[in-house]
Each structure stands twice: as C-alpha cells, then as structure tokens.
C-alpha cells in the first residue's frame, strides 16, 4: 500500500526548466505517484507537464497534465472545479512555483523585477490556496505545502527580491496553518538549500559560468558532506509532509539544506 494511496494531489510547477538534472516539481510528482497518489501536474508549459505525466505513466502511476499560468486566479478556480467534477476531492496542494528573474541587491533591484518576482512567487501560492481551501475545509482535511528557500534566512544580498518574497511566503504559510487548523487542514513550508537542479544551475551556465566550477563551488558551501542536495531530497520531504505520517505537523518551516540554515543560526 502506498503512503498516498487514494489521494488526489495537485502539484503546481510540476514541469521543470530544461537541464541535465531533475527539478523539484517533477521529482515530487514522481514520488507522489510512486506512493499511489493521483497527481494533477500543473505547469505553464503543457509540454513539460506532459513529459512529467509520461514519466509517471511509464512507472504505472496515475496523473494528468494541465497548462496554466499560476498567477491567473480565475484559471485556478476553474481548474479546481474541473478536478472536483472529475476526481471528487483534493487532498494535497503542493506549490512549487518560484523565480528570481533579473534580481539584484537592495540598491540595484528594479521595480519591474521586484514586482514580477513577488507576483509569481506569492500570487501563485495565494491563488492556488484561495481556490483549494474551501474544498479542503468542506472535506475536513487537506495538506498544503509551499516551497520556499533557505534564502529567506540567509544574507542573499544579490537576490533581495527573491529573499524577501520567500520570507513573505513563509509568513503567509504560517497564517494558512493557524487559520485552517480547526478545519483539519495542515500547511507547511519546505526550504531547500543549495540544490543541483536545473533552475539552480542552468541560468548561470547560460550566462557563461563553467558548469563544473559552479557545481564545485556550490558543493563546497554545504556543511553536510560538502555536496548539494537533489530534487529527490525535496520530493521525499514533500512526501512525508503530505502523508499521514505528518498528521500532527502544521505551521512548520522545514529546511532541506544539508545544514546551511543551522550554520546561519
């Protein structure tokens, strides 16, 4: 029996940036499906979402792909109703959307970049939660997991908008947890540290950084084993929080970071 047997799980950002490794969203979809959840894979790229679905299908799992802009509130309301009509319930909402496009230091970050990063990183979670929470409240159960970042705690001087948006996501999730506990709905945050994922690596490589040098530098910054984590580390944490094994856990910010946040203090 799977740890998510019979559960319906929505993963927003279940495709991924192209790259040599697997991304957090896709890995989470695969882990959920491996544990017998029916996974609704949502991504702005239908092609990328469908690739995730194809990977799940090749392992005998159940899933379906949906193209959607996660910052479109009406679209998410419509998707929620479609899932209810076809699958009857929503057990898990996993928000994996996040960007840091054109970010910079506090003095240099532009208003345009700041607004875009906040819009994507916060509205994607806000609109998803607003659509799904009434369903979960009526059911008397549900799990929401938002993917933040250890950057919310770290200095991160060159990514000021990203840091601030992830700190805001942590605070928003705390509000979710406290305001919905009486309805049986749990809400938690995962804060990945340095991860060897396409989003973390490919942008720098495209800008001219040497891949091996970049990976070595990032590895050396991780206290635990001097090696970055992978998307599977995030996916396994997400699986635990979504499962009944975590049924007494809500309002938690869980670092998955090889000890980076512990070193910060």
């Amino acid at each position: 029996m799977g740890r998510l047997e019979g559960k319906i799980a929505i993963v927003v950002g279940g495709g991924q940036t192209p790259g040599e490794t697997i991304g957090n969203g896709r890995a989470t979809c695969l882990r959920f499906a491996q544990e017998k959840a029916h996974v609704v894979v949502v991504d702005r790229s239908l092609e990328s979402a469908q690739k995730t679905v194809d990977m799940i299908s090749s392992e005998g799992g159940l899933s379906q792909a949906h193209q959607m802009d996660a910052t479109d509130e009406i679209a998410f309301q419509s998707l929620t109703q479609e899932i209810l009509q076809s699958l009857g319930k929503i057990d898990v909402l996993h928000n994996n959307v996040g960007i840091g496009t054109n970010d910079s230091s506090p003095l240099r970050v532009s208003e345009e970049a700041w607004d875009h990063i906040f819009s994507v990183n916060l509205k994607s979670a806000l609109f998803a939660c607003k659509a799904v929470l009434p369903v979960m409240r009526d059911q008397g159960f549900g799990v929401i997991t938002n993917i933040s970042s250890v950057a919310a705690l770290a200095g991160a001087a060159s990514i000021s908008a990203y840091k601030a948006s992830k700190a805001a996501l942590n605070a928003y999730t705390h509000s979710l947890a406290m305001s919905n506990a009486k309805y049986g709905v749990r809400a938690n945050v995962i804060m990945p540290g340095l991860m060897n994922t396409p989003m973390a690596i490919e942008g720098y490589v495209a800008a001219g950084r040497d891949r091996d040098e970049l990976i070595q530098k990032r590895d050396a910054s991780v206290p635990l084993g001097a090696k970055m984590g992978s998307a599977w580390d995030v996916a396994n944490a997400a699986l635990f929080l979504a499962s009944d094994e975590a049924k007494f856990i809500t309002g938690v910010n869980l670092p998955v970071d090889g000890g980076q946040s512990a070193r910060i203090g």
Side-chain angles (χ1 to χ4, degrees), residues 2 38 40 55 86 158 180 188 206 212-213:
H38 184 120
V40 180
M55 293 172 73
S86 61
S158 64
N180 290 283
N188 296 292
D212 291 339
E213 180 183 329

Side-chain angles (χ1 to χ4, degrees), residues 103-126:
D103 204 354
S104 189
S105 64
L107 191 61
R108 295 179 179 274
V109 64
S110 68
E111 180 181 5
E112 181 182 13
W114 182 277
D115 287 348
H116 184 50
I117 290 167
F118 263 75
S119 178
V120 173
N121 292 359
L122 288 173
K123 285 185 178 179
S124 59
L126 171 65

Side-chain angles (χ1 to χ4, degrees), residues 147-156 159 162-164 166-167 170 189-195 221 223 234 253-265:
I147 302 300
S148 177
S149 171
V150 166
L153 306 178
I159 50 171
Y162 182 81
K163 171 184 171 63
K166 292 302 188 178
N170 290 358
V189 160
I190 293 173
M191 297 191 298
L194 290 173
M195 316 302 291
S221 298
V234 174
N253 295 346
L254 175 63
V256 179
D257 66 353
Q260 277 184 285
S261 56
R263 182 170 60 191
I264 293 166

Side-chain angles (χ1 to χ4, degrees), residues 35-251:
E35 294 296 333
K36 307 305 181 185
H38 184 120
V39 185
V40 180
V41 184
V42 180
D43 201 90
R44 64 179 177 177
S45 166
L46 182 59
E47 180 182 2
S48 189
Q50 187 59 50
K51 184 173 181 180
T52 301
V53 167
D54 292 343
M55 293 172 73
I56 290 171
S57 297
S58 72
E59 296 183 355
L62 297 175
S63 62
Q64 58 196 64
H66 290 268
Q67 189 280 328
M68 193 185 69
D69 177 352
T71 64
D72 185 337
E73 183 171 15
I74 294 175
F76 216 108
Q77 295 283 351
S78 298
L79 175 62
T80 299
Q81 292 307 310
E82 182 179 341
I83 294 169
L84 274 182
Q85 290 171 11
S86 61
L87 300 175
K89 61 175 183 169
I90 299 171
D91 299 289
V92 179
L93 171 63
H94 183 93
N95 291 311
N96 183 67
V97 174
I99 64 165
T101 310
N102 297 320
D103 204 354
S104 189
S105 64
L107 191 61
R108 295 179 179 274
V109 64
S110 68
E111 180 181 5
E112 181 182 13
W114 182 277
D115 287 348
H116 184 50
I117 290 167
F118 263 75
S119 178
V120 173
N121 292 359
L122 288 173
K123 285 185 178 179
S124 59
L126 171 65
F127 294 156
C129 292
K130 286 180 70 177
V132 167
L133 270 170
V135 177
M136 291 183 170
R137 285 183 171 193
D138 285 346
Q139 294 171 167
F141 61 87
V143 180
I144 296 172
T145 305
N146 293 325
I147 302 300
S148 177
S149 171
V150 166
L153 306 178
S158 64
I159 50 171
S160 57
Y162 182 81
K163 171 184 171 63
S165 71
K166 292 302 188 178
L169 183 61
N170 290 358
Y172 172 68
T173 307
H174 187 267
S175 295
L176 280 177
M178 293 301 93
S179 61
N180 290 283
K182 63 184 178 182
Y183 298 103
V185 178
R186 299 189 290 110
N188 296 292
V189 160
I190 293 173
M191 297 191 298
L194 290 173
M195 316 302 291
N196 192 350
T197 60
M199 181 181 175
I201 300 296
E202 300 305 331
Y204 290 107
V205 173
R209 291 285 298 274
D210 179 81
R211 183 185 300 275
D212 291 339
E213 180 183 329
L214 174 63
I215 289 174
Q216 288 174 9
K217 183 177 180 180
R218 287 170 63 91
D219 281 346
S221 298
V222 179
L224 184 62
K227 190 173 182 61
M228 286 184 287
S230 77
W232 298 111
D233 297 308
V234 174
N236 285 324
L239 172 61
F240 167 67
L241 289 175
S243 75
D244 289 342
E245 295 161 20
K247 65 182 180 180
F248 202 54
I249 298 175
T250 195

